[in-house]
Amino acid sequence: MTGSTSERLVEAAFALYEEQGYDRTTVDDIAARAGVGRATFFRIFGSKEDVIFPDHDVLLERIRTRLAHATVGTGPVAVVEAAAVVLDHYLAEGDLARARYRLTRTVPALRHRELAGMQRYRQVFGEFLRSWFAETGQVADGDVLGVQLRAELLADSIVTAHNHVLRGWLRGETADPRTQLRTALAAILDLHAPRPAEEPAAVVVLRADADLASVLPALRAAVHEPPPR
Amino acid sequence: MTGSTSERLVEAAFALYEEQGYDRTTVDDIAARAGVGRATFFRIFGSKEDVIFPDHDVLLERIRTRLAHATVGTGPVAVVEAAAVVLDHYLAEGDLARARYRLTRTVPALRHRELAGMQRYRQVFGEFLRSWFAETGQVADGDVLGVQLRAELLADSIVTAHNHVLRGWLRGETADPRTQLRTALAAILDLHAPRPAEEPAAVVVLRADADLASVLPALRAAVHEPPPR
DNA sequence: CGTGTCAACGGTACTCAGTCTCACACGGCC
DNA sequence: GGCCGTGTGAGACTGAGTACCGTTGACACG
C-alpha cells in the first residue's frame, strides 16, 4: 500500500466514482478498495461528498492570512493575490482537479457541495472588503448600494472570475490562467472602483511573491517620483 | 383538517422544525402530524429539505417568460421586473418567508439547499444576459472579460442584490423593499453598462517575479505618461 | 522489562432518509 | 356489474451517517 490512509481513500473514491458512477458507489466500496474500515472513512472525511474536494479550511486560512497583511493602500493587491492562491492550488492539482470537474458537472449532489464550498470564499472576501471599504472610504456614506452590498457584489465577482478562469483551464482552453485571472480581476476592480473618475486613474496590480512590506516603500517612491522628462 | 395535503405537510414541517429542531424531526413526524403516510410526503416533496422552500420551478418559469418578452432595447427593464417577480413572491409569503429565514440561518443543510436553488436563478439570468450582450453588442468583441464572464458577473449581482434587499426586509429593516430593489438594480446596471467614452484610465498588470527595479520603468511609464488617444 | 497512556483503527449496532413495490380504496365510464 | 387510472398507506430494502466498544501499536516513564 502506498501513501497515507487519507490519500488511498481519495484515490479509491475518485477511481470508483468514475468507474461505476457516484450513486452506485458505496462508502463500503471505497473503504474496501483503500484497505481500511468504513468507520475510518467517516473519521477522515465527514461525508461521501467531501472526499473529492480539497481541504477548504486550509485554503481559506491561507486567504485570510494573505488578506490580513493588506494595508489601507494595498487592498486590491491583496485580493488579487489571495484569489491567485486558490487558483494556484487547483493548477497544482492537475489531473485531480480535472477529474473533480468531470464529477461535479455530472453529479448534482457534488455540484451542490461545491456551491456550498464557494460560498465560504465569498464570505471571506466579503468580510475583508466590507471593512476595507469602511476604512478607506472607498464607498461614500450616502452611497446608493451601501458598504455591505458593495462588498458582497465585489466578492461575488472575484469568486466568479476565479471560477471562470479555472473552468477555462480545466477545459484546456487557457494557456496562461494566472495572467488571465489577474487581467480579469484588474478589470473587475476597475469596474467597482469609485467613479468620481474625472481624474486619470491607474490601477496597478503587482505580484509580490516575496515580502509585500519590503516592496511597498519602493512602490510608493516610484509612484510619487516626478516623471522623467 | 384544513387545506390540501401539500399545505398541511408544509405547515407540519415548519411547525416541527421550529419546535424541536430540524435534525430531531423525522419525516415520519411530519407525515403523522399532517395525517398522511410517509410515502405521500416523498411523493409531493422530493426530500426533507424541499418542504420549506417555494416552488422554484414555477418561479423560474415566470422569470423566463418575463425575460423572453424583452426586446433589444428593453433588456434592463426586463431584468429588473424579473427580479421583482421573485421579490414579490417572498413578500407575499409574509411570515412563511420569515420562518424560512430563521431556519436557513440555523440549519446548514437548509442553507446549502438554498444556495443550490439560487444558482438556478443565476443561470437563468446569466443565459439571458449572455444572448442579450451578444445581440445588442453591449460587450465589445475585444472585451477583456468577454461576453460569458460579463453575463455571469451581472447575473451574480442581480441575485445578490435581490437577496440583500430581501434579507433586509426579512429582518424588518426595510420599509419599501420594492423600490429599494429597483434602485439597487439601476445602480448595478449602470455599473455594468459599457463605459461611454474611453476616459484616460490605465489598467496595468505587471508581474514582478523578478526584481522590482526592473519593473519600475514600466510602472512609471504607466502612471505618468498620458495614455495614447 | 513492565506498565500506563493515547491515538488510530476495525467492527457493529442503530437511526433515518430515500426508493420501490404491492395492495387497496375511490371515482368515473362504458 | 366490470374496468381502469389515480392517489394513497404499508412495509421492505439500501445505504449514509453516528455512536460505542474493543483492539492494536507506538511511545513514554518508572
Side-chain angles (χ1 to χ4, degrees):
Chain A
M1 298 281 183
T2 62
S4 68
T5 301
S6 165
E7 286 168 359
R8 288 206 316 275
L9 280 170
V10 170
E11 274 179 43
F14 269 99
L16 287 171
Y17 287 170
E18 294 229 322
E19 283 173 20
Q20 43 182 303
Y22 178 80
D23 291 326
R24 271 182 302 283
T25 302
T26 72
V27 176
D28 268 315
D29 296 340
I30 303 171
R33 177 134 167 180
V36 299
R38 204 177 81 100
T40 302
F41 177 92
F42 284 108
R43 280 196 198 96
I44 301 181
F45 308 99
S47 77
K48 191 185 171 186
E49 300 157 359
D50 289 343
V51 214
I52 71 155
F53 290 105
D55 194 334
H56 287 310
D57 291 316
V58 174
L59 232 43
L60 285 165
E61 203 45 50
R62 271 196 246 167
I63 289 183
R64 283 198 199 90
T65 55
R66 180 60 193 88
L67 292 178
H69 287 119
T71 63
V72 203
T74 61
V77 188
V79 164
V80 173
E81 291 193 10
V85 164
V86 183
L87 181 67
D88 282 338
H89 175 86
Y90 284 102
L91 296 184
E93 280 188 335
D95 284 335
L96 197 69
R98 271 179 275 265
R100 183 187 303 116
Y101 179 58
R102 282 193 297 273
L103 286 171
T104 50
R105 265 191 321 176
T106 315
V107 185
L110 297 178
R111 199 162 53 240
H112 294 166
R113 189 57 148 222
E114 193 181 38
L115 243 42
M118 281 166 41
Q119 181 66 5
R120 301 178 63 190
Y121 292 88
R122 282 200 191 93
Q123 276 173 11
V124 171
F125 278 108
E127 285 169 18
F128 167 76
L129 289 169
R130 187 161 41 84
S131 58
W132 189 70
F133 281 166
E135 288 171 13
T136 61
Q138 285 270 321
V139 178
D141 284 347
D143 189 87
V144 199
L145 299 175
V147 172
Q148 171 69 32
L149 180 52
R150 283 211 117 100
E152 286 181 39
L153 292 172
L154 184 47
D156 281 0
S157 296
I158 292 163
V159 172
T160 293
H162 168 275
N163 290 338
H164 179 82
V165 172
L166 177 59
R167 280 199 306 269
W169 177 76
L170 289 169
R171 286 199 280 253
E173 302 166 357
T174 313
D176 189 357
R178 286 190 181 83
T179 47
Q180 196 185 336
L181 178 63
R182 290 188 153 74
T183 309
L185 287 180
I188 285 170
L189 287 168
D190 180 58
L191 208 66
H192 288 252
R195 194 150 305 292
E198 45 205 70
E199 295 287 324
V203 176
V204 183
V205 179
L206 293 174
R207 173 172 171 178
D209 285 319
D211 191 0
L212 180 65
S214 66
V215 185
L216 277 179
L219 182 59
R220 287 205 192 88
V223 172
H224 291 138
E225 260 179 29
R229 299 279 173 182
Chain B
M1 297 280 181
T2 62
S4 68
T5 302
S6 166
E7 287 167 359
R8 287 206 315 276
L9 279 170
V10 170
E11 274 179 41
F14 268 99
L16 287 170
Y17 288 170
E18 293 228 324
E19 282 173 20
Q20 44 181 294
Y22 178 80
D23 291 326
R24 269 181 303 282
T25 303
T26 71
V27 176
D28 269 314
D29 297 338
I30 303 172
R33 177 136 169 180
V36 298
R38 206 175 80 99
T40 302
F41 177 92
F42 283 109
R43 280 196 197 95
I44 301 180
F45 307 99
S47 77
K48 190 185 171 186
E49 300 157 358
D50 289 343
V51 215
I52 72 155
F53 289 104
D55 194 334
H56 287 309
D57 291 316
V58 173
L59 232 42
L60 285 165
E61 204 44 51
R62 271 196 248 168
I63 290 182
R64 283 199 199 90
T65 54
R66 180 61 195 88
L67 291 178
H69 287 120
T71 62
V72 202
T74 60
V77 187
V79 164
V80 173
E81 291 191 14
V85 164
V86 183
L87 181 67
D88 282 339
H89 175 86
Y90 284 102
L91 296 183
E93 281 188 334
D95 283 336
L96 197 69
R98 271 180 273 267
R100 183 186 302 116
Y101 180 58
R102 282 192 297 274
L103 286 171
T104 50
R105 264 192 321 176
T106 315
V107 185
L110 297 178
R111 201 162 53 240
H112 294 166
R113 189 57 151 221
E114 193 181 37
L115 241 44
M118 282 167 40
Q119 180 66 7
R120 301 178 62 190
Y121 293 87
R122 282 202 191 92
Q123 277 173 11
V124 171
F125 278 107
E127 285 169 19
F128 167 77
L129 289 169
R130 187 160 41 85
S131 57
W132 189 71
F133 281 165
E135 288 171 12
T136 61
Q138 285 270 321
V139 178
D141 284 347
D143 190 87
V144 199
L145 299 175
V147 172
Q148 171 67 32
L149 180 52
R150 283 210 116 101
E152 286 181 39
L153 292 173
L154 184 46
D156 282 359
S157 296
I158 292 163
V159 173
T160 293
H162 167 275
N163 290 337
H164 179 81
V165 172
L166 177 60
R167 279 199 306 270
W169 176 76
L170 289 168
R171 286 198 282 253
E173 303 166 356
T174 312
D176 188 357
R178 286 188 182 84
T179 49
Q180 197 185 337
L181 178 64
R182 283 169 204 283
T183 311
L185 287 180
I188 286 170
L189 287 168
D190 180 58
L191 208 65
H192 287 254
R195 292 277 159 273
E198 193 61 33
E199 288 293 322
V203 175
V204 184
V205 181
L206 297 173
R207 286 186 59 158
D209 286 321
D211 196 5
L212 178 66
S214 65
V215 190
L216 279 179
L219 181 59
R220 284 203 196 91
V223 173
H224 299 293
E225 274 182 9
R229 299 277 174 177

